[in-house]
Amino acid sequence: MTVTPGLRTPRLASPDLLRSVFRRHAAGVAVVTARGEAGPVGFTATSLTSVSAEPPMLSFGIGTGASSWPAVSRAGHVGVHILGEHQEELAATFARSGADRFGGATAWSDGPEGVPVLDDVLAWLVCRVVTRVPAGDHRIVLAEVVLGDPTGPGRPLLYHGGRFNGLRD
């Protein structure tokens, strides 16, 4: 392996290297929800990506070991919620393993297609799952937008350096 002069010593590929690099990448914070057999499920995602405008499609990644995966693996529709900087605690709740994600502290309602829709978010979408693509220990879910609401007030919540943050001007 050759090293470009002036660069620090590169590290070989590993899960730790990937995590370390992506801690340097700021990402918007979303919560993905679905209706499971035992009730609503959801998880915090920073892997949300716009895929296509025609038809309107998006993607997100989910680990196959995640508690939400069994429901997402069978769901016909999912909810995608863009969180505002005022929702750091909500993001943390949906990111925490074993948390009561739809307990009393989480305001939500049953939305179209039976998808749980969170209150007070910057924007939300209900999407029809098109496919789930294997990708290592994750699946990439491709979903077509059915309907949504982009009109929530506020500024986006970001994830950077292992923490939730707001935008700075």
PDB file of all heavy atoms in Angstrom, residues 92-115:
ATOM      1  N   ALA A  92     -33.236  10.120  21.079  1.00  0.00           N
ATOM      2  CA  ALA A  92     -32.521   9.238  22.001  1.00  0.00           C
ATOM      3  C   ALA A  92     -33.396   8.057  22.426  1.00  0.00           C
ATOM      4  O   ALA A  92     -32.909   6.927  22.529  1.00  0.00           O
ATOM      5  CB  ALA A  92     -32.047  10.020  23.222  1.00  0.00           C
ATOM      6  N   THR A  93     -34.673   8.306  22.668  1.00  0.00           N
ATOM      7  CA  THR A  93     -35.590   7.230  23.051  1.00  0.00           C
ATOM      8  C   THR A  93     -35.677   6.172  21.958  1.00  0.00           C
ATOM      9  O   THR A  93     -35.584   4.976  22.233  1.00  0.00           O
ATOM     10  CB  THR A  93     -36.996   7.795  23.351  1.00  0.00           C
ATOM     11  OG1 THR A  93     -36.903   8.671  24.474  1.00  0.00           O
ATOM     12  CG2 THR A  93     -37.999   6.686  23.643  1.00  0.00           C
ATOM     13  N   PHE A  94     -35.831   6.604  20.712  1.00  0.00           N
ATOM     14  CA  PHE A  94     -35.957   5.648  19.613  1.00  0.00           C
ATOM     15  C   PHE A  94     -34.626   4.993  19.250  1.00  0.00           C
ATOM     16  O   PHE A  94     -34.602   3.986  18.557  1.00  0.00           O
ATOM     17  CB  PHE A  94     -36.612   6.310  18.399  1.00  0.00           C
ATOM     18  CG  PHE A  94     -38.108   6.311  18.472  1.00  0.00           C
ATOM     19  CD1 PHE A  94     -38.774   7.293  19.182  1.00  0.00           C
ATOM     20  CD2 PHE A  94     -38.861   5.328  17.857  1.00  0.00           C
ATOM     21  CE1 PHE A  94     -40.152   7.303  19.276  1.00  0.00           C
ATOM     22  CE2 PHE A  94     -40.242   5.316  17.936  1.00  0.00           C
ATOM     23  CZ  PHE A  94     -40.892   6.311  18.655  1.00  0.00           C
ATOM     24  N   ALA A  95     -33.517   5.547  19.734  1.00  0.00           N
ATOM     25  CA  ALA A  95     -32.201   4.953  19.499  1.00  0.00           C
ATOM     26  C   ALA A  95     -31.809   3.965  20.597  1.00  0.00           C
ATOM     27  O   ALA A  95     -30.950   3.117  20.386  1.00  0.00           O
ATOM     28  CB  ALA A  95     -31.137   6.048  19.408  1.00  0.00           C
ATOM     29  N   ARG A  96     -32.442   4.086  21.767  1.00  0.00           N
ATOM     30  CA  ARG A  96     -32.050   3.299  22.937  1.00  0.00           C
ATOM     31  C   ARG A  96     -32.673   1.904  22.895  1.00  0.00           C
ATOM     32  O   ARG A  96     -33.882   1.747  22.778  1.00  0.00           O
ATOM     33  CB  ARG A  96     -32.489   4.049  24.201  1.00  0.00           C
ATOM     34  CG  ARG A  96     -31.834   3.596  25.460  1.00  0.00           C
ATOM     35  CD  ARG A  96     -32.089   4.517  26.658  1.00  0.00           C
ATOM     36  NE  ARG A  96     -33.321   5.267  26.664  1.00  0.00           N
ATOM     37  CZ  ARG A  96     -33.418   6.590  26.460  1.00  0.00           C
ATOM     38  NH1 ARG A  96     -32.342   7.311  26.207  1.00  0.00           N
ATOM     39  NH2 ARG A  96     -34.584   7.191  26.496  1.00  0.00           N
ATOM     40  N   SER A  97     -31.841   0.897  23.030  1.00  0.00           N
ATOM     41  CA  SER A  97     -32.303  -0.489  23.072  1.00  0.00           C
ATOM     42  C   SER A  97     -33.138  -0.713  24.326  1.00  0.00           C
ATOM     43  O   SER A  97     -32.768  -0.285  25.418  1.00  0.00           O
ATOM     44  CB  SER A  97     -31.093  -1.421  23.071  1.00  0.00           C
ATOM     45  OG  SER A  97     -31.512  -2.758  23.112  1.00  0.00           O
ATOM     46  N   GLY A  98     -34.275  -1.350  24.155  1.00  0.00           N
ATOM     47  CA  GLY A  98     -35.140  -1.685  25.277  1.00  0.00           C
ATOM     48  C   GLY A  98     -36.027  -0.552  25.762  1.00  0.00           C
ATOM     49  O   GLY A  98     -36.785  -0.723  26.713  1.00  0.00           O
ATOM     50  N   ALA A  99     -35.957   0.621  25.135  1.00  0.00           N
ATOM     51  CA  ALA A  99     -36.774   1.766  25.564  1.00  0.00           C
ATOM     52  C   ALA A  99     -38.238   1.550  25.218  1.00  0.00           C
ATOM     53  O   ALA A  99     -38.571   0.864  24.246  1.00  0.00           O
ATOM     54  CB  ALA A  99     -36.274   3.048  24.894  1.00  0.00           C
ATOM     55  N   ASP A 100     -39.128   2.148  26.014  1.00  0.00           N
ATOM     56  CA  ASP A 100     -40.561   2.154  25.718  1.00  0.00           C
ATOM     57  C   ASP A 100     -40.805   3.283  24.720  1.00  0.00           C
ATOM     58  O   ASP A 100     -41.155   4.398  25.091  1.00  0.00           O
ATOM     59  CB  ASP A 100     -41.369   2.354  26.999  1.00  0.00           C
ATOM     60  CG  ASP A 100     -42.869   2.265  26.750  1.00  0.00           C
ATOM     61  OD1 ASP A 100     -43.279   1.923  25.611  1.00  0.00           O
ATOM     62  OD2 ASP A 100     -43.626   2.554  27.689  1.00  0.00           O
ATOM     63  N   ARG A 101     -40.575   2.999  23.463  1.00  0.00           N
ATOM     64  CA  ARG A 101     -40.567   4.025  22.423  1.00  0.00           C
ATOM     65  C   ARG A 101     -41.930   4.671  22.192  1.00  0.00           C
ATOM     66  O   ARG A 101     -41.992   5.827  21.775  1.00  0.00           O
ATOM     67  CB  ARG A 101     -40.023   3.431  21.133  1.00  0.00           C
ATOM     68  CG  ARG A 101     -38.574   3.008  21.311  1.00  0.00           C
ATOM     69  CD  ARG A 101     -38.032   2.284  20.123  1.00  0.00           C
ATOM     70  NE  ARG A 101     -36.628   1.949  20.393  1.00  0.00           N
ATOM     71  CZ  ARG A 101     -35.996   0.990  19.780  1.00  0.00           C
ATOM     72  NH1 ARG A 101     -36.592   0.270  18.848  1.00  0.00           N
ATOM     73  NH2 ARG A 101     -34.743   0.741  20.085  1.00  0.00           N
ATOM     74  N   PHE A 102     -42.998   3.949  22.426  1.00  0.00           N
ATOM     75  CA  PHE A 102     -44.337   4.499  22.207  1.00  0.00           C
ATOM     76  C   PHE A 102     -45.087   4.690  23.518  1.00  0.00           C
ATOM     77  O   PHE A 102     -46.311   4.715  23.547  1.00  0.00           O
ATOM     78  CB  PHE A 102     -45.124   3.616  21.234  1.00  0.00           C
ATOM     79  CG  PHE A 102     -44.610   3.716  19.826  1.00  0.00           C
ATOM     80  CD1 PHE A 102     -43.617   2.858  19.374  1.00  0.00           C
ATOM     81  CD2 PHE A 102     -45.085   4.687  18.965  1.00  0.00           C
ATOM     82  CE1 PHE A 102     -43.129   2.956  18.084  1.00  0.00           C
ATOM     83  CE2 PHE A 102     -44.605   4.796  17.676  1.00  0.00           C
ATOM     84  CZ  PHE A 102     -43.619   3.923  17.231  1.00  0.00           C
ATOM     85  N   GLY A 103     -44.337   4.864  24.609  1.00  0.00           N
ATOM     86  CA  GLY A 103     -44.930   5.098  25.920  1.00  0.00           C
ATOM     87  C   GLY A 103     -45.492   6.499  26.047  1.00  0.00           C
ATOM     88  O   GLY A 103     -45.568   7.260  25.073  1.00  0.00           O
ATOM     89  N   GLY A 104     -45.847   6.862  27.261  1.00  0.00           N
ATOM     90  CA  GLY A 104     -46.504   8.129  27.533  1.00  0.00           C
ATOM     91  C   GLY A 104     -45.751   9.363  27.095  1.00  0.00           C
ATOM     92  O   GLY A 104     -46.356  10.391  26.795  1.00  0.00           O
ATOM     93  N   ALA A 105     -44.428   9.304  27.015  1.00  0.00           N
ATOM     94  CA  ALA A 105     -43.645  10.480  26.628  1.00  0.00           C
ATOM     95  C   ALA A 105     -43.653  10.717  25.115  1.00  0.00           C
ATOM     96  O   ALA A 105     -43.238  11.771  24.663  1.00  0.00           O
ATOM     97  CB  ALA A 105     -42.204  10.333  27.115  1.00  0.00           C
ATOM     98  N   THR A 106     -44.131   9.746  24.338  1.00  0.00           N
ATOM     99  CA  THR A 106     -44.137   9.868  22.882  1.00  0.00           C
ATOM    100  C   THR A 106     -45.548  10.151  22.390  1.00  0.00           C
ATOM    101  O   THR A 106     -46.446   9.334  22.557  1.00  0.00           O
ATOM    102  CB  THR A 106     -43.620   8.571  22.219  1.00  0.00           C
ATOM    103  OG1 THR A 106     -42.304   8.299  22.701  1.00  0.00           O
ATOM    104  CG2 THR A 106     -43.594   8.687  20.712  1.00  0.00           C
ATOM    105  N   ALA A 107     -45.730  11.326  21.784  1.00  0.00           N
ATOM    106  CA  ALA A 107     -47.032  11.703  21.217  1.00  0.00           C
ATOM    107  C   ALA A 107     -47.098  11.190  19.777  1.00  0.00           C
ATOM    108  O   ALA A 107     -46.251  11.523  18.949  1.00  0.00           O
ATOM    109  CB  ALA A 107     -47.208  13.210  21.267  1.00  0.00           C
ATOM    110  N   TRP A 108     -48.115  10.385  19.487  1.00  0.00           N
ATOM    111  CA  TRP A 108     -48.259   9.801  18.160  1.00  0.00           C
ATOM    112  C   TRP A 108     -49.709   9.387  17.940  1.00  0.00           C
ATOM    113  O   TRP A 108     -50.507   9.374  18.878  1.00  0.00           O
ATOM    114  CB  TRP A 108     -47.333   8.592  17.993  1.00  0.00           C
ATOM    115  CG  TRP A 108     -47.683   7.436  18.888  1.00  0.00           C
ATOM    116  CD1 TRP A 108     -47.399   7.322  20.220  1.00  0.00           C
ATOM    117  CD2 TRP A 108     -48.408   6.266  18.534  1.00  0.00           C
ATOM    118  NE1 TRP A 108     -47.892   6.135  20.706  1.00  0.00           N
ATOM    119  CE2 TRP A 108     -48.524   5.460  19.692  1.00  0.00           C
ATOM    120  CE3 TRP A 108     -48.976   5.814  17.345  1.00  0.00           C
ATOM    121  CZ2 TRP A 108     -49.182   4.233  19.688  1.00  0.00           C
ATOM    122  CZ3 TRP A 108     -49.632   4.589  17.339  1.00  0.00           C
ATOM    123  CH2 TRP A 108     -49.717   3.806  18.503  1.00  0.00           C
ATOM    124  N   SER A 109     -50.030   9.055  16.702  1.00  0.00           N
ATOM    125  CA  SER A 109     -51.366   8.558  16.384  1.00  0.00           C
ATOM    126  C   SER A 109     -51.261   7.567  15.236  1.00  0.00           C
ATOM    127  O   SER A 109     -50.248   7.504  14.539  1.00  0.00           O
ATOM    128  CB  SER A 109     -52.294   9.716  16.017  1.00  0.00           C
ATOM    129  OG  SER A 109     -51.772  10.428  14.924  1.00  0.00           O
ATOM    130  N   ASP A 110     -52.328   6.789  15.071  1.00  0.00           N
ATOM    131  CA  ASP A 110     -52.388   5.880  13.932  1.00  0.00           C
ATOM    132  C   ASP A 110     -52.621   6.713  12.678  1.00  0.00           C
ATOM    133  O   ASP A 110     -53.572   7.494  12.606  1.00  0.00           O
ATOM    134  CB  ASP A 110     -53.520   4.867  14.095  1.00  0.00           C
ATOM    135  CG  ASP A 110     -53.182   3.794  15.106  1.00  0.00           C
ATOM    136  OD1 ASP A 110     -52.040   3.299  15.078  1.00  0.00           O
ATOM    137  OD2 ASP A 110     -54.053   3.452  15.917  1.00  0.00           O
ATOM    138  N   GLY A 111     -51.755   6.545  11.697  1.00  0.00           N
ATOM    139  CA  GLY A 111     -51.852   7.296  10.458  1.00  0.00           C
ATOM    140  C   GLY A 111     -52.358   6.436   9.322  1.00  0.00           C
ATOM    141  O   GLY A 111     -52.828   5.314   9.535  1.00  0.00           O
ATOM    142  N   PRO A 112     -52.257   6.956   8.114  1.00  0.00           N
ATOM    143  CA  PRO A 112     -52.679   6.196   6.930  1.00  0.00           C
ATOM    144  C   PRO A 112     -51.963   4.854   6.853  1.00  0.00           C
ATOM    145  O   PRO A 112     -50.809   4.725   7.269  1.00  0.00           O
ATOM    146  CB  PRO A 112     -52.255   7.116   5.770  1.00  0.00           C
ATOM    147  CG  PRO A 112     -52.226   8.492   6.369  1.00  0.00           C
ATOM    148  CD  PRO A 112     -51.767   8.295   7.790  1.00  0.00           C
ATOM    149  N   GLU A 113     -52.653   3.870   6.337  1.00  0.00           N
ATOM    150  CA  GLU A 113     -52.123   2.509   6.188  1.00  0.00           C
ATOM    151  C   GLU A 113     -51.751   1.885   7.532  1.00  0.00           C
ATOM    152  O   GLU A 113     -50.980   0.940   7.585  1.00  0.00           O
ATOM    153  CB  GLU A 113     -50.915   2.477   5.236  1.00  0.00           C
ATOM    154  CG  GLU A 113     -51.184   3.043   3.861  1.00  0.00           C
ATOM    155  CD  GLU A 113     -52.194   2.234   3.062  1.00  0.00           C
ATOM    156  OE1 GLU A 113     -52.415   1.043   3.366  1.00  0.00           O
ATOM    157  OE2 GLU A 113     -52.765   2.796   2.109  1.00  0.00           O
ATOM    158  N   GLY A 114     -52.280   2.427   8.639  1.00  0.00           N
ATOM    159  CA  GLY A 114     -52.004   1.896   9.965  1.00  0.00           C
ATOM    160  C   GLY A 114     -50.619   2.239  10.493  1.00  0.00           C
ATOM    161  O   GLY A 114     -50.197   1.719  11.522  1.00  0.00           O
ATOM    162  N   VAL A 115     -49.897   3.114   9.802  1.00  0.00           N
ATOM    163  CA  VAL A 115     -48.534   3.477  10.189  1.00  0.00           C
ATOM    164  C   VAL A 115     -48.575   4.434  11.376  1.00  0.00           C
ATOM    165  O   VAL A 115     -49.324   5.417  11.356  1.00  0.00           O
ATOM    166  CB  VAL A 115     -47.800   4.133   8.987  1.00  0.00           C
ATOM    167  CG1 VAL A 115     -46.469   4.716   9.413  1.00  0.00           C
ATOM    168  CG2 VAL A 115     -47.611   3.124   7.881  1.00  0.00           C
TER     169      VAL A 115
END
